[in-house]
Amino acid sequence: MARLAQILGDLKSRFRALPRWARVLSYVAGAAALFGVLVVFVAWLIFARGLPDAAQLAEYEPPLPSHVRAADGTPFASFARERRIFLDYEQTPKQLVGAFVSAEDKTFFTHPGIDLPGIFQAAITNLKAMGTGKRPVGASTITQQVAKNLLLTNEVSYVRKVKEIFLARRIEQALTKPEIIELYLNQIFLGRSAYGVQAASFAYFNKPVEELSLAQTAFLAVLPKAPANYNPSTEKGRVRALARRNWVLGQMAENGYVTAAQARAAAAEPIVVVNRAEIPRDRTGDYFIEDIRRELVEKYGEEGEHGIYTGGLWVRSTINPAMQRAAEMALRDGLVKYDRPRGWRGVTDKIELGEGWAQRLRAVNLPVGYDDWRAAVVLEKSGGVISLGFEDGTNGRMSAQNASIPVRGVGVPAFQRLAAGDVIPVKRVAGGDYTLRQIPDIGGGMVVMEVSTGRVLAMVGGFDARRSQYNRATQAMRQPGSAIKPFVYAAALDNGYTPASVVVDAPYCVFQTRSLGTKCFRNFSGGYAGPQTMRWGLEQSRNLMTVRLAYNTGMDKVVETIDQMGIAKLSPVLSMSLGAGETTVMKLTNAYAMLANGGKRQSPVLYDLIQDRRGRTIYRADARDCAGCSAPDWDGDAMPRPADARPQAMDAKTAYQVVHMLEGVVQRGTAVVLRDLNRPMFGKTGTTNGPTNVWFVGGTADVVAGLYLGFDEPKNMGGYAQGGTLAAPVFKQFAIAALKDAPKRPFEISPGVRMVRIDRRSGKRVYGGWQVDTDPRAAVIWEAFKPESEPRRVAAAYDPFAKAEVVRSDSEFLQSTGGIY
């Protein structure tokens, strides 16, 4: 203590010995230092308190788009508001880091978060510009930009700038330089909806950053200031971008990131970026992907840890790309096939010609559907030739002969009605010419599903999602018509009937109410066939037999069966047995899949697995337990399998009986157009009153598809429109392409079902004459029965004169055998 007093006394003596001016200067310096400390303290009280904790940046996760993969693992789609591909610092080319540091903050790796000389220079510049209305300039380091972008706002004020300085210092203390530059390069907006350098590299050059040239790398470093000002797609932007890029190259050479020779060589290169309009976008599965998006938004929301636009989810969907393409092509062809003979409706869009017409044409976003159709605008019509312009600015021609589709209701060729500025779809033909096409005004939906699991393999919601996001496969409520009949028959089979039961095909009327009077039903084609087997009634889709069967079974039981199969909740009125209720393609296709799967209850599955950005599974569609499935090695026992705990929506034997009858629909019924596919298939057509909708639902033991065609505002499609003539051929086209390599697997017979030979038309049982007859129209067939429900046997004898089996009646059989058997 004495020593301290001695030191202080000594200092005091020396201070008094100083000249007066030195003592005054010391007082001033001390006061200034104290004032400075006070200013910093006050600034901290005003600006620094309450700022975000910079340490949270260590845990920061930038918003990442969610990605959807197909069932085979290939990338398929993404959901993004900020298109970003996260890039670790170790993966970032050092030349790219050097370009951004040289352009934005050349002392980044040495300063403590702020650049004091730069701040003073910016302050002087802003003082000079006071009153001119110019935007104040900053002196933001990369660290300050990280602070602003991630923790502050874009407010232009000195208050924000002071906060930015305090926060930058905190960031430098919490993170390393590589961590700071990593945040910056992944967060910054660089134009073209691209956030971060990797996304920008694809947006401007359609390749990853590691493949960029030096000139391209320097161009990306130009963009943080104002991407719109350096847009090389415009003449003014290209001039600005070139000058700024060459300046960046010079700074890179000055800072030692490249040599002067390398910088000069790169500066000689032009700036060539990809035209976004020229990057082909694969629109396969647009409706499918949109349905997945809607489900994920409902499940996880749009923002947050697992938000689809921020969470960086990885979604393994069930989509089969080959089947999806086949389904889209088949449905589009079916819609065009129906629409084209009805004539040309005229153009639906028109644009102004002159400078910028290509951009205006792109803005129309014409839903051309096919890959080989193009949106075109009529530039000029001269003589018998039309000059066409396309979205990429190129030109083509179309002769009058290729625009000869008659105008609907008038009959004159479409060529006569086309004028400059009309937007039309066209298709290229041999010789380089183009021919006129038309987007159908009829709609439709299609779903393809895996029988054993309910996984949706393909989904088409219309001609083109650009025309309408309305998904007719999942959102359109339509009357299924006769496609509902298998479930009416299933209810009857559960209540004492067999496929061989005889039902009368005859006039049937029912009194409804005093106000509604009596309702009489009729067959689609008119006429009556008398007593026939249930099988025949389903194969030929006889309305009168179905209504009689529904009445005898009880409509309450029929609608209960339909409800149990997940199709719809219907009122127990007879018209519902003919498909007067409403359902969706998805629900009805799923019900048919349940039939083929032995009546097991299941729901449609659009995705198998969802993982977060770190690869952790947050959802699995198949959540069944499987004891031993994760064992490190085989123990010699039977291979473990997950237990199938799904409940029965329908008796398995009933389900097989219905499927077996529906095989007859393909072999000799209303879907006979499919018979030459030459594989075990089942299915049912449907045509509603009007007709306003035409349907087909069916498939194989592995894959089921359902589809309908009809106008969005239901109206008459024409008397020739039937499920067998319009919808079934669509399925056939799909099956030829998608199932060509699939095994021909028969439907699995449910345990307890007895296969018995019967006479197909009478339903009576036969024995003897075991020749195998593969003709679909054979008199004797195998029929499926539940135990103790088989018909009595009747002998079938071979008649050498008729050269065929002859089925004897019950009485003949009893007399010849001497009594009851």
Side-chain angles (χ1 to χ4, degrees), residues 206-224:
N206 200 29
K207 57 185 176 182
V209 291
E210 58 266 24
E211 296 179 12
L212 294 178
S213 68
L214 174 57
Q216 292 168 336
T217 298
F219 169 75
L220 291 186
V222 165
L223 299 172

Side-chain angles (χ1 to χ4, degrees), residues 470-480 567-570 581-585 587 693 695 708 711-712 714:
Y470 181 57
N471 191 334
R472 295 157 189 83
T474 60
Q475 295 175 299
M477 298 295 294
R478 313 294 290 202
Q479 292 181 337
I567 300 171
K569 294 184 181 294
L570 305 176
E582 292 184 334
T583 187
T584 66
V585 178
K587 290 180 179 178
N693 303 293
W695 287 75
Y708 88 92
F711 293 96
D712 289 345

Side-chain angles (χ1 to χ4, degrees), residues 225-291:
K225 291 294 184 188
N229 291 342
Y230 301 108
N231 180 7
S233 299
T234 66
E235 181 63 29
K236 191 174 183 180
R238 187 161 48 251
V239 171
R240 287 175 175 172
L242 193 63
R244 176 76 177 173
R245 184 206 65 180
N246 291 347
W247 176 83
V248 171
L249 288 168
Q251 290 296 301
M252 291 180 71
E254 184 178 315
N255 297 330
Y257 292 107
V258 296
T259 65
Q262 288 174 320
R264 285 193 299 272
E269 295 181 21
I271 297 177
V272 181
V273 298
V274 295
N275 185 343
R276 285 184 292 178
E278 294 175 355
I279 300 177
R281 184 198 160 187
D282 188 356
R283 305 195 70 92
T284 302
D286 274 1
Y287 286 105
F288 199 127
I289 296 303
E290 175 58 17
D291 241 49

Side-chain angles (χ1 to χ4, degrees), residues 22-205:
R23 292 200 303 272
V24 171
L25 187 61
S26 298
Y27 283 127
V28 171
L34 183 62
F35 179 75
V37 171
L38 184 61
V39 167
V40 171
F41 179 70
V42 171
W44 179 84
L45 286 176
I46 297 175
F47 301 112
R49 286 205 311 172
L51 284 178
D53 184 4
Q56 71 188 63
L57 288 177
E59 303 297 326
Y60 173 73
E61 294 180 336
L64 292 180
S66 294
H67 298 278
V68 179
R69 292 185 178 271
D72 60 4
T74 57
F76 204 81
S78 62
F79 305 124
R81 290 201 178 115
E82 297 182 1
R83 299 207 168 271
R84 178 182 284 107
I85 305 171
F86 192 83
L87 199 64
D88 291 333
Y89 179 77
E90 292 75 15
Q91 298 174 310
T92 308
K94 297 303 176 278
Q95 194 175 79
L96 182 70
V97 174
F100 275 85
V101 167
S102 297
E104 294 294 312
D105 184 6
K106 65 180 181 181
T107 61
F108 168 74
F109 286 104
T110 57
H111 66 58
I114 57 175
D115 180 9
L116 289 176
I119 291 175
F120 289 131
Q121 184 177 352
I124 294 170
T125 302
N126 291 334
L127 284 172
K128 291 180 179 179
M130 286 183 66
T132 64
K134 292 183 179 179
R135 181 186 175 98
V137 299
S140 293
T141 63
I142 284 177
T143 311
Q144 287 176 262
Q145 292 184 55
V146 169
K148 180 190 72 174
N149 291 336
L150 301 182
L151 301 175
L152 296 174
T153 67
N154 287 323
E155 173 194 5
V156 179
S157 70
Y158 292 106
V159 172
R160 194 218 73 201
K161 181 61 67 175
V162 173
K163 289 182 177 181
E164 192 179 281
I165 291 171
F166 276 104
L167 201 49
R169 288 293 300 126
R170 292 184 183 180
I171 290 173
E172 289 281 345
Q173 294 166 1
L175 303 177
T176 65
K177 291 289 187 179
E179 288 172 336
I180 295 171
I181 194 74
E182 179 183 281
L183 285 171
Y184 174 76
L185 293 177
N186 282 289
Q187 183 69 23
I188 193 165
F189 175 64
L190 297 172
R192 292 195 171 186
S193 301
Y195 289 77
V197 291
Q198 185 73 293
S201 182
F202 280 101
Y204 289 97
F205 303 109

Side-chain angles (χ1 to χ4, degrees), residues 223-545:
L223 299 172
K225 291 294 184 188
N229 291 342
Y230 301 108
N231 180 7
S233 299
T234 66
E235 181 63 29
K236 191 174 183 180
R238 187 161 48 251
V239 171
R240 287 175 175 172
L242 193 63
R244 176 76 177 173
R245 184 206 65 180
N246 291 347
W247 176 83
V248 171
L249 288 168
Q251 290 296 301
M252 291 180 71
E254 184 178 315
N255 297 330
Y257 292 107
V258 296
T259 65
Q262 288 174 320
R264 285 193 299 272
E269 295 181 21
I271 297 177
V272 181
V273 298
V274 295
N275 185 343
R276 285 184 292 178
E278 294 175 355
I279 300 177
R281 184 198 160 187
D282 188 356
R283 305 195 70 92
T284 302
D286 274 1
Y287 286 105
F288 199 127
I289 296 303
E290 175 58 17
D291 241 49
I292 290 177
R293 189 196 69 83
R294 277 195 287 259
E295 277 203 21
L296 293 180
V297 167
E298 186 176 345
K299 186 186 292 286
Y300 298 116
E302 298 183 358
E303 312 289 340
E305 181 185 4
H306 295 149
I308 68 166
Y309 296 118
T310 58
L313 303 180
W314 291 91
V315 183
R316 192 178 71 199
S317 75
T318 59
I319 190 169
N320 181 309
M323 287 191 176
Q324 180 68 36
R325 285 188 285 270
E328 289 181 4
M329 183 63 71
L331 184 64
R332 284 182 184 137
D333 285 354
L335 297 174
V336 170
K337 178 183 177 183
Y338 171 83
D339 180 78
R340 187 172 177 83
R342 302 173 73 237
W344 190 64
R345 299 187 306 278
V347 299
T348 57
D349 293 285
K350 196 175 184 72
I351 64 170
E352 290 185 15
L353 298 179
E355 186 177 354
W357 62 261
Q359 184 177 355
R360 290 191 287 276
L361 178 60
R362 288 196 296 272
V364 172
N365 200 24
L366 191 70
V368 292
Y370 293 96
D371 292 338
D372 58 352
W373 285 20
R374 301 182 70 181
V377 61
V378 176
L379 297 177
E380 183 184 8
K381 185 166 75 170
S382 177
V385 176
I386 286 177
S387 175
L388 301 172
F390 301 111
E391 293 177 335
D392 58 1
T394 59
N395 299 95
R397 66 185 300 276
M398 180 171 65
S399 65
Q401 181 181 357
N402 287 339
S404 59
I405 306 174
V407 177
R408 185 176 299 183
V410 179
V412 301
F415 182 84
Q416 295 184 17
R417 298 294 178 88
L418 289 170
D422 288 344
V423 177
I424 54 175
V426 296
K427 176 182 178 180
R428 190 161 192 167
V429 293
D433 205 352
Y434 286 85
T435 185
L436 180 64
R437 287 292 179 258
Q438 177 170 254
I439 297 168
D441 59 349
I442 190 171
M446 183 173 183
V447 170
V448 182
M449 188 176 289
E450 188 175 65
V451 167
S452 60
T453 61
R455 298 170 70 248
V456 179
L457 306 176
M459 180 197 302
V460 192
F463 183 79
D464 190 318
R466 286 172 292 183
R467 181 182 183 187
S468 168
Q469 288 290 324
Y470 181 57
N471 191 334
R472 295 157 189 83
T474 60
Q475 295 175 299
M477 298 295 294
R478 313 294 290 202
Q479 292 181 337
S482 296
I484 202 71
K485 288 178 181 176
F487 306 97
V488 178
Y489 281 69
L493 292 169
D494 276 336
N495 288 275
Y497 283 86
T498 75
S501 297
V502 173
V503 182
V504 178
D505 183 32
Y508 192 83
C509 299
V510 59
F511 177 76
Q512 301 176 103
T513 63
R514 181 173 295 180
S515 60
L516 294 176
T518 299
K519 166 71 175 177
C520 288
F521 296 90
R522 61 181 295 274
N523 287 318
F524 180 82
S525 58
Y528 320 106
Q532 300 289 341
T533 63
M534 271 179 57
R535 167 179 283 279
W536 186 86
L538 185 56
E539 289 178 355
Q540 304 304 319
S541 197
R542 306 296 285 187
N543 290 345
L544 293 172
M545 292 179 67

